[in-house]
Amino acid sequence: MPIPIGLHLSWTETNGPVVQAPAQRSFGSRLIETLGKQLKGEVQLRYEPSGFVYALDVPLASLTAAGS
């Protein structure tokens, strides 16, 4: 079921070296995934050859006083 979007954040790296998914999850990837979960959102981490892509979708209710 799709989340009603309140916030969509996307970070896309380009023009760097070819990237590959890491063999292990690190502190940084765990941190940005945890932030999304705490906000009841969805997090996508993609390791595309052209660069790393991070997307965060947070429902509006998580961003308002009533949602906390």
Side-chain angles (χ1 to χ4, degrees), residues 30-64:
R30 287 185 180 129
L31 180 66
I32 58 178
E33 287 176 325
T34 299
L35 172 63
K37 289 177 185 176
Q38 287 177 340
L39 293 172
K40 297 178 178 61
E42 293 182 4
V43 174
Q44 290 183 2
L45 305 176
R46 295 192 319 264
Y47 300 89
E48 298 178 358
S50 58
F52 174 72
V53 177
Y54 170 73
L56 171 63
D57 291 306
V58 178
L60 185 59
S62 293
L63 302 174
T64 63

